[in-house]
């Protein structure tokens, strides 16, 4: 026999296989010391038992412990008496007893459906100006003019100057009549609201540039009572007067 291409060497013994005579582990019985052996565990059992080697005619159990069994079919302490089987009894009334023949009289209601309220309620209609009544090109972020002082409180600039004209003779310079209530004043020139609006619209006697220099004033008759003298009897409180001035100053930003 030639071994590695060399002649004259002795043949190996029949007990030696693959260069060793020790027992070689096989997979189904033992675990290989590699990745394959870690992932695939060996089969546990009797390796000599294969297909067709089982004793089917013998009754065996998986455990060697023998559990006590009863020959009578029941355990200790069980009831041995006869079991009672209850029979279902239908005790419901017949169909003819559900509806009584003698019905009680039905009392008629005074109103239909026991309600006297209106079926369709009237919704409140909100009267608001239409889409074409709003101004689009208006000034934004309007603020009331305030008078500031260092270390003092701020005061709002009144839109209308209130004057006591007890001894003064106020006459409109256009129509010659005495204005009642509000009037327009520029230094010594006085115009009533009717003449001011007419000249501002048509510019008949005064132009608009001159009329813008006028300032609105008001007689003190709504808050003072003079009774022909210079003495003052106040009709409204200072709190109400301050609230009225603030409201008028705010509304003057949107209406003249």
């Amino acid at each position: 026999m030639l071994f590695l291409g060399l002649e004259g060497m002795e043949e190996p013994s029949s007990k030696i296989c693959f260069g060793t005579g020790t027992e070689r582990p096989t997979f189904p019985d033992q675990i290989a010391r590699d990745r394959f052996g870690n992932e695939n565990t060996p089969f546990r059992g009797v390796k000599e038992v294969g297909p067709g080697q089982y004793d089917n005619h013998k009754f065996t159990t998986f455990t060697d412990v023998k559990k006590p069994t009863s020959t009578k079919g029941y355990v200790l302490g069980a009831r041995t008496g006869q079991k009672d089987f209850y029979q279902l009894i239908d005790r419901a009334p017949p169909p003819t007893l559900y509806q009584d023949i003698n019905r009680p009289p039905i009392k008629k209601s005074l109103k239909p459906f026991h309600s006297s309220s209106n079926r369709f309620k009237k919704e409140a209609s909100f009267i608001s100006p239409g889409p074409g009544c709003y101004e689009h090109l208006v000034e934004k972020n309007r603020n009331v003019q305030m008078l500031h002082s260092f270390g003092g409180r701020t005061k709002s600039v009144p839109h209308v100057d209130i004057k006591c004209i007890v001894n003064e003779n106020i006459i409109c310079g256009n129509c010659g009549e005495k204005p009642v209530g509000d009037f327009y004043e520029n230094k010594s020139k006085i115009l009533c609201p009717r003449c001011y609006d007419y000249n501002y619209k048509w510019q008949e006697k005064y132009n608009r540039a001159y009329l813008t220099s006028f300032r609105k004033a008001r007689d003190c008759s709504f808050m003072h009572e003079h009774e022909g003298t210079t003495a003052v009897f106040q009709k409204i409180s200072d709190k109400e007067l301050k609230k009225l001035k603030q409201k008028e100053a705010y509304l003057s930003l949107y209406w003249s």
Side-chain angles (χ1 to χ4, degrees):
M1 181 177 180
L2 298 177
F3 183 74
L4 297 177
L6 300 177
E7 300 179 357
M9 296 185 64
E10 296 181 357
E11 296 181 1
S13 177
S14 60
K15 296 181 179 181
I16 299 175
C17 182
F18 296 101
T20 180
T22 59
E23 294 183 1
R24 186 180 183 189
T26 56
F27 166 66
D29 301 332
Q30 300 179 1
I31 301 175
R33 298 180 177 85
D34 54 2
R35 184 68 177 178
F36 181 79
N38 295 336
E39 295 181 355
N40 299 277
T41 57
F43 300 101
R44 301 297 182 185
V46 184
K47 61 180 180 179
E48 287 81 4
V49 178
Q53 300 295 328
Y54 296 97
D55 298 332
N56 297 330
H57 61 283
K58 295 181 180 180
F59 294 95
T60 59
T61 57
F62 293 98
T63 59
D64 296 332
V65 179
K66 294 183 179 181
K67 294 182 179 180
T69 58
S70 176
T71 57
K72 295 184 178 181
Y74 54 87
V75 297
L76 181 64
R79 296 180 61 182
T80 58
Q82 186 179 0
K83 186 176 181 181
D84 296 333
F85 295 94
Y86 297 96
Q87 186 178 3
L88 180 61
I89 300 175
D90 190 6
R91 297 180 180 178
T96 56
L97 294 180
Y98 284 103
Q99 187 172 1
D100 192 4
I101 299 175
N102 299 324
R103 298 180 181 178
I106 300 175
K107 184 179 179 181
K108 294 183 179 180
S109 61
L110 300 177
K111 300 291 182 180
F113 300 101
H114 299 279
S115 177
S116 60
S117 60
N118 295 329
R119 184 178 178 185
F120 301 100
K121 296 182 179 180
K122 295 182 180 180
E123 297 182 357
S125 60
F126 298 96
I127 301 175
S128 59
C133 297
Y134 295 96
E135 298 181 2
H136 302 283
L137 302 176
V138 294
E139 183 182 357
K140 297 181 179 180
N141 299 329
R142 304 177 184 180
N143 296 321
V144 179
Q145 295 182 1
M146 306 293 292
L147 292 175
H148 298 270
S149 61
F150 294 99
R153 297 181 179 180
T154 57
K155 297 181 181 179
S156 60
V157 178
H159 177 64
V160 180
D161 296 334
I162 301 175
K163 292 188 176 183
C164 295
I165 51 175
V166 179
N167 299 326
E168 296 182 11
N169 189 14
I170 297 178
I171 299 175
C172 179
N174 189 20
C175 63
E177 298 180 359
K178 184 176 181 180
V180 179
D182 297 348
F183 57 92
Y184 293 88
E185 181 183 19
N186 182 16
K187 296 181 180 179
S188 60
K189 191 70 174 179
I190 296 175
L191 292 176
C192 64
R194 185 181 60 181
C195 297
Y196 180 86
D197 296 338
Y198 180 82
N199 286 275
Y200 190 87
K201 181 178 181 180
W202 302 105
Q203 304 184 36
E204 182 177 346
K205 189 175 181 179
Y206 308 102
N207 55 11
R208 293 179 182 174
Y210 175 70
L211 293 175
T212 53
S213 61
F214 281 75
R215 184 170 176 82
K216 196 172 185 180
R218 182 175 300 164
D219 186 9
C220 68
S221 58
F222 73 97
M223 57 177 293
H224 291 164
E225 186 68 31
H226 294 280
E227 296 181 355
T229 62
T230 56
V232 176
F233 176 75
Q234 193 168 351
K235 295 181 180 180
I236 59 177
S237 61
D238 295 338
K239 185 177 181 180
E240 295 177 353
L241 181 62
K242 182 179 179 181
K243 188 176 181 179
L244 180 63
K245 289 182 179 180
Q246 291 177 352
K247 185 186 295 185
E248 193 171 20
Y250 174 76
L251 295 177
S252 65
L253 300 175
Y254 302 92
W255 292 279
S256 58

